[in-house]
Amino acid sequence: MGIVERIKEIEAEMARTQKNKATEYHLGQLKAKIAKLRTQLLEPPKGSSGGGDGFEVTKYGHGRVALIGFPSVGKSTLLTMLTGTHSEAASYEFTTLTCIPGVIHYNDTKIQLLDLPGIIEDLVLMVLDASKSEGHRQILTKELEAVGLRLNKRPPQIYFKKKKTGGISFNTTAPLTRIDEKLCYQILHEYKIHNAEVLFREDATVDDFIDVIEGNRKYIKCVYVYNKIDVVGIDDVDRLARQPNSIVISCNLKLNLDRLLARMWDEMGLVRVYSKPQSQQPDFDEPFVLSADRGGCTVEDFCNHVHRTLVKDMKYALVWGTSARHYPQHCGLSHHLEDEDVVQIVKKKVREEGGRGRFKSHSNVPARIADREKKAPLKQ
């Protein structure tokens, strides 16, 4: 029996099992088995160097956004309207024939938009049909979770570390209502882990604990884009627009596309920083784009973007913020930069060997008085 067949068999068993206090341990073990099998399914076969046939899209710009959705929702049309790039698709589901990346120029930055779910770094745009039920959203979310993506979730507050000896150490700093110590032991036994440290800092679930053990989950932001609002009533549009992490648009009538771009910008958290050379005007044409999810937004991160050795040479930084353009702050490496800050790096002065004048650092005179050459006595 193959891995896919085993996964389907376990899923069928979970569907048949009633959820109650008596079966929660059994269901927890079944979830752990499915997670292990799905990890094996994603791993490349033994003896091969990769995961099979595929391709790579060259990274471009300051961020990456992936478009996900069924062809009938106007996903390719949205890609064309935002970037001017055409993506060819067939007439049946999940059939984008190749990945043709487009680039959005917004707020002096370049954002790469990909009509492909397999290459995701910063944000997911899940394009849905406003005239249909929530079934598509549930299907796409389930498919992404099966490959290790967690949408609009943060990593669980669970500390887990394997050990060589000492058995399993289980502790918690918060009351647990959805998992207990016995179930954790059974899940660890399923993974053949007999020595580990486990610390729960929140009331986590069985799925959260399995994700921590697997260690290969990716937590990413997702915006649900409901297209075709021109074919539904105003009450439905209002209901969809008020849902969390959602925005409504119409590619046909070109409605709300500017709000979509602004929402993408806010979710990605990009920070534009302008450099100012000494005794010169700031360069407002090409900003350095930082992000908390891709390196950080401190002065040290800005220095690393400019040059790797700039951190060692920096004495301090002058930062002009949006609220006080005329009065710069003297900042260190740990200072957090905001959007549209202007930064001037002041370097350490390198002392010339020998120095000049009264600042001369080297002398031929001996350091000790005993070593000095005695002068001849004056003539009487």
Side-chain angles (χ1 to χ4, degrees):
M1 183 183 296
I3 296 179
V4 177
E5 289 75 14
R6 292 167 63 187
I7 291 176
K8 291 182 178 179
E9 182 180 352
I10 296 175
E11 288 178 341
E13 183 179 354
M14 292 179 62
R16 293 192 303 266
T17 305
Q18 294 183 354
K19 296 182 180 180
N20 51 51
K21 194 69 176 178
T23 60
E24 63 179 5
Y25 298 108
H26 178 62
L27 290 174
Q29 286 182 310
L30 294 179
K31 289 181 178 181
K33 289 181 180 180
I34 288 182
K36 286 177 57 180
L37 292 174
R38 284 176 175 167
T39 301
Q40 296 176 15
L41 194 63
L42 296 175
E43 291 177 349
K46 294 182 179 180
S48 65
S49 57
D53 297 333
F55 56 89
E56 182 179 355
V57 179
T58 303
K59 185 184 296 184
Y60 180 79
H62 304 106
R64 272 184 166 184
V65 178
L67 277 175
I68 297 176
F70 291 83
S72 60
V73 300
K75 180 164 54 79
S76 300
T77 305
L78 181 61
L79 175 69
T80 302
M81 298 186 69
L82 294 179
T83 67
T85 304
H86 295 273
S87 177
E88 183 181 359
S91 58
Y92 41 90
E93 307 293 10
F94 300 108
T95 54
T96 300
L97 302 181
T98 185
C99 178
I100 304 177
V103 178
I104 301 173
H105 296 267
Y106 188 75
N107 283 347
D108 296 328
T109 62
K110 303 177 183 67
I111 302 173
Q112 192 174 36
L113 189 62
L114 305 170
D115 187 5
L116 184 74
I119 305 174
I120 303 172
E121 283 196 12
D122 301 297
L123 180 67
V124 171
L125 291 183
M126 185 180 293
V127 188
L128 303 167
D129 193 334
S131 62
K132 295 184 179 180
S133 63
E134 292 293 315
H136 283 185
R137 174 172 169 173
Q138 297 174 1
I139 292 173
L140 294 173
T141 301
K142 185 178 179 181
E143 291 294 327
L144 293 177
E145 287 185 347
V147 296
L149 292 178
R150 300 293 181 262
L151 304 181
N152 296 324
K153 294 182 180 179
R154 59 173 178 80
Q157 298 298 307
I158 303 175
Y159 174 78
F160 172 76
K161 183 180 180 180
K162 293 182 182 179
K163 299 188 301 183
K164 295 183 179 180
T165 59
I168 297 176
S169 173
F170 180 87
N171 292 285
T172 176
T173 59
L176 300 181
T177 61
R178 295 175 286 184
I179 192 174
D180 57 16
E181 184 175 356
K182 180 181 177 181
L183 183 52
C184 289
Y185 274 73
Q186 291 183 347
I187 294 174
L188 292 173
H189 180 73
E190 184 66 35
Y191 280 91
K192 298 181 180 179
I193 298 175
H194 307 290
N195 301 283
E197 290 183 15
V198 179
L199 173 62
F200 280 75
R201 296 190 177 96
E202 65 179 1
D203 187 16
T205 63
V206 174
D207 296 323
D208 293 335
F209 185 50
I210 293 174
D211 289 346
V212 172
I213 295 175
E214 288 286 344
N216 58 357
R217 306 308 192 220
K218 188 169 184 179
Y219 299 85
I220 193 167
K221 298 177 182 178
C222 177
V223 175
Y224 303 101
V225 182
Y226 289 92
N227 189 22
K228 301 184 180 180
I229 60 173
D230 52 305
V231 298
V232 298
I234 188 64
D235 293 337
D236 292 331
V237 174
D238 183 70
R239 176 181 56 84
L240 295 173
R242 293 180 182 275
Q243 291 184 2
N245 307 307
S246 302
I247 190 169
V248 293
I249 65 167
S250 172
C251 291
N252 184 29
L253 300 180
K254 299 182 180 180
L255 296 176
N256 220 26
L257 297 181
D258 54 342
R259 292 283 299 274
L260 174 60
L261 290 174
R263 183 64 178 272
M264 287 173 51
W265 174 265
D266 293 338
E267 294 293 340
M268 295 180 70
L270 299 180
V271 175
R272 295 164 293 174
V273 180
Y274 301 98
S275 62
K276 181 187 181 304
Q278 190 172 2
S279 303
Q280 298 182 25
Q281 293 295 322
D283 182 12
F284 291 111
D285 295 329
E286 291 292 334
F288 292 90
V289 181
L290 309 177
S291 172
D293 297 330
R294 305 177 68 185
C297 300
T298 63
V299 173
E300 183 177 0
D301 302 319
F302 170 76
C303 292
N304 291 329
H305 272 69
V306 178
H307 199 276
R308 294 180 180 178
T309 62
L310 189 57
V311 173
K312 298 180 180 179
D313 299 335
M314 190 192 91
K315 184 177 182 180
Y316 60 89
L318 296 175
V319 179
W320 288 262
T322 55
S323 59
R325 287 294 188 191
H326 302 291
Y327 304 99
Q329 303 180 62
H330 286 66
C331 304
L333 293 173
S334 61
H335 177 75
H336 184 80
L337 298 173
E338 302 292 340
D339 189 32
E340 294 188 308
D341 277 356
V342 177
V343 178
Q344 175 183 330
I345 302 299
V346 179
K347 295 184 178 180
K348 301 174 183 177
K349 292 184 179 180
V350 180
R351 182 181 295 176
E352 297 181 2
E353 186 174 352
R356 291 183 180 179
R358 63 192 182 99
F359 296 103
K360 190 174 181 180
S361 59
H362 291 80
S363 174
N364 297 326
V365 179
R368 297 189 306 171
I369 296 178
D371 296 335
R372 294 179 182 177
E373 183 180 354
K374 293 183 180 181
K375 296 181 179 181
L378 295 176
K379 295 182 179 180
Q380 297 295 332

